[in-house]
Amino acid sequence: MQARFKLDYPGFTLDVDLSLPDRGVTALFGPSGSGKTTVLRCAAGLERAPGGFFEVAGDVWQDEARGLFLPTYKRPLGLVFQEASLFPHLSVKKNLEFGMKRAGNAAGAGFDAMIELMGIGALLDRDPERLSGGERQRVAIARALLTRPRLLLMDEPLAALDVKKKREILPYLEALRAELDIPVLYVSHSPDEVARLADHIVLIDGGRATASGALVETLARLDLTAVFAEDAGVVLEATVGAHEADGLTRLDFPGGPLYVGERSEPLGARLRCRINARDVSLALTEHRDTSIVNILPATVVAVAAAETPGHALVQLRLKNDGPLLLARITERSRKALAVTPGQDVAAQVKAVALL
Amino acid sequence: MDSSALAAVWLTVKLATLVTVLLLVVGTPISWWLANTRSRLKGPVGAVVALPLVLPPTVLGFYLLVVFGPRGFIGQAMDALDLQRLPFTFAGLVVASIVYSLPFVVQPLQNAFEAIGRRPLEAAASLRASPWDAFFSVAVPLARPGFVTAAILGFAHTVGEFGVVLMMGGNIPGKTQVLSVKIYDYVENGDYTQAHWLAGGMVCFCFVVLLLLYGGRKRGAWSR
């Protein structure tokens, strides 16, 4: 996917040139007003960037150099807005059929499977206004996907939902992530959602893309931690290795393992977990006289000042060619331990969030 | 009621129905444009459409007479095309009523279209609906309360006009003599009994219309 958009608004300029994978979920992450939604709208053809270029999996939808600009309704895309924009004058079923019919899927290929995946079978005859916020978003996602799009665009689909509804809908999005073989552009300002759903991340600030890369590597970059501030941390992909007798589950990955409270997933299942920098502390030796279970040998790669005053961020590489980890420690401890690149340390992981 | 009064009632109903239909046809694109445009012309066009709200009907009628009369540019153009000139004809009444009642149709429609916002239309576009398709399958159904209000106001306002129709149409029984003019006629001739019948009928009619309008709006009966 290639996206080149330059747009001038009074007091704001969007200028991005992105090369993104044609598979998986790409998160457009940034503060509100950074221009991430405008990027999405340009990709959808709802805004037209003069001189813009947009290509998905080999199909060019906009190339102003050749005078090409497909209007939105001619682009095979699915679009999910922040508030579900279901048509209030149509039932759920009619809403789903609206796009299906027009996209040449009148026969409803994949209809039953999609209803099943999004868990909306019982809602088909209802009016949109009688659905909960989470149900509406699930219908909106199903409606978008039933047009069999080649690109799915999601503009903060969870932002209008409360925490409980978010938890209710996230599993559906994760199921979707596993099922979909089309690229997804996912606009979000929630580090949590990004950590759970994204494979690739683009950081957007002030109308520019400040970084773009695979999620795992990008989150571990020290120069970008200002963006995540208190939420700085890394994401790891791990495999369920064992369910141990004392009620802990072992997660395996190079540089691991990590022990977490018992999980219901079967052995061999892939899990994503998030380790916040503030939950990692450092020791020069591997203490065994501590209640912390997860102590991993690592090497210091780099040190930088943290957003929080009086604190430093330490980038670590776990041993055995493991992934990068971030640790947030106080300036005082950094001086006391004389933390320097190349030094071997023990990373004490106080909490692992399983996603 | 004598036959000339019945003729006036019938003519009024015929006029108001025809004008309402034509106003919806003419007013819909104008209000859609006003609701969606970013053009600098939005202000001036909106003001011109709203002029009949504030102008005395006689001013409107006067200019219509001038423009459509034998020396007016449209009048002369119609002469050149061998068409009958509009003043003092039923067609003239129709044209005058459309101008006079236009804001009563455009404003509720414009409000309704603006209330829908861009979002449902963008959603429709993302579901492969062309702009025309989206207009008829999404905007029109969602603006339905606006259409109902516009039709009722356009109809009622046309029934209630007096100054413009008198100037443009005159007072020709069975041809341009509408209800309001007929009442004026009765009063001028001192026939208060007949005037009462028609005037009272108008009061009842207008009350029912407004009851429908406000009652329906409150219950949200037209929202679907």
Side-chain angles (χ1 to χ4, degrees), chain A residues 37-311:
Chain A
T37 292
T38 310
V39 173
L40 197 82
R41 292 178 61 83
C42 285
L46 293 172
E47 307 282 340
R48 183 170 183 172
F53 180 88
F54 188 57
E55 167 267 317
V56 181
D59 289 340
V60 179
W61 292 356
Q62 181 179 11
D63 183 1
E64 299 290 350
R66 287 193 286 135
L68 174 74
F69 178 82
L70 287 185
T72 304
Y73 73 96
K74 287 189 179 159
R75 300 184 179 202
L77 53 79
L79 184 50
V80 179
F81 296 95
Q82 187 166 335
E83 326 81 33
S85 39
L86 300 179
F87 302 126
H89 61 296
L90 300 177
S91 69
V92 167
K93 187 152 185 280
K94 289 260 163 34
N95 262 284
L96 296 173
E97 286 166 353
F98 188 97
M100 252 162 59
K101 276 191 285 185
R102 287 168 175 81
N105 183 19
F111 186 80
D112 294 336
M114 184 56 63
I115 300 301
E116 173 95 4
L117 185 67
M118 287 290 124
I120 53 175
L123 312 175
L124 290 181
D125 295 325
R126 292 232 211 130
D127 286 338
E129 60 200 32
R130 292 188 47 239
L131 303 181
S132 74
E135 288 169 339
R136 273 186 222 149
Q137 278 305 40
R138 271 145 57 197
V139 173
I141 293 166
R143 185 178 70 171
L145 289 173
L146 283 170
T147 64
R148 295 182 294 186
R150 304 248 276 284
L151 169 69
L152 181 63
L153 303 169
M154 303 179 102
D155 186 8
E156 309 222 27
L158 305 184
L161 304 178
D162 59 38
V163 176
K164 198 168 147 252
K165 301 254 169 51
K166 259 181 215 173
R167 280 210 201 102
E168 168 200 313
I169 196 170
L170 267 165
Y172 292 100
L173 290 182
E174 281 167 326
L176 206 62
R177 184 171 155 260
E179 293 274 318
L180 279 185
D181 53 0
I182 56 167
V184 180
L185 282 184
Y186 189 101
V187 166
S188 179
H189 67 260
S190 153
D192 206 48
E193 280 169 40
V194 171
R196 276 180 89 137
L197 297 171
D199 303 301
H200 194 92
I201 183 169
V202 178
L203 300 183
I204 296 188
D205 201 7
R208 291 176 173 275
T210 51
S212 170
L215 179 79
V216 174
E217 280 100 71
T218 308
L219 286 185
R221 274 171 63 174
L222 269 187
D223 57 328
L224 300 173
T225 50
V227 183
F228 301 99
E230 283 295 297
D231 292 303
V234 297
V235 165
L236 300 175
E237 302 268 5
T239 316
V240 176
H243 295 296
E244 304 201 342
D246 57 358
L248 291 182
T249 293
R250 196 185 77 215
L251 301 178
D252 290 335
F253 59 95
L258 282 170
Y259 292 90
V260 296
E262 188 163 26
R263 299 292 297 181
S264 53
E265 287 84 355
L267 294 184
R270 301 280 291 162
L271 281 180
R272 199 180 249 210
C273 47
R274 178 148 175 244
I275 301 175
N276 273 324
R278 59 170 182 265
D279 293 327
V280 180
S281 59
L282 300 181
L284 292 184
T285 54
E286 260 192 59
H287 286 284
R288 282 300 150 201
D289 55 348
T290 165
S291 64
I292 293 177
V293 178
N294 292 309
I295 301 175
L296 302 170
T299 311
V300 174
V301 179
V303 186
E307 276 295 286
T308 327
H311 286 71

Side-chain angles (χ1 to χ4, degrees), chain B residues 47-114:
Chain B
V48 167
V49 168
L51 266 183
L53 286 175
V54 290
L55 277 181
T58 43
V59 171
L60 217 59
F62 171 66
Y63 281 117
L64 285 168
L65 262 187
V66 168
V67 169
F68 287 99
R71 293 203 200 142
F73 71 98
I74 299 184
Q76 287 183 346
M78 292 183 80
D79 279 348
L81 292 168
D82 231 6
L83 294 168
Q84 197 195 0
R85 278 200 300 269
L86 291 178
F88 312 114
T89 62
F90 181 73
L93 281 192
V94 172
V95 170
S97 304
I98 286 176
V99 173
Y100 184 51
S101 298
L102 191 61
F104 290 84
V105 169
V106 167
Q107 292 191 345
L109 283 181
Q110 186 186 342
N111 289 342
F113 288 142
E114 279 170 355

Side-chain angles (χ1 to χ4, degrees), chain A residues 15-28:
Chain A
D15 188 359
V16 295
D17 185 353
L18 300 166
S19 183
L20 304 170
D22 279 327
R23 269 200 64 105
V25 178
T26 296
L28 301 175

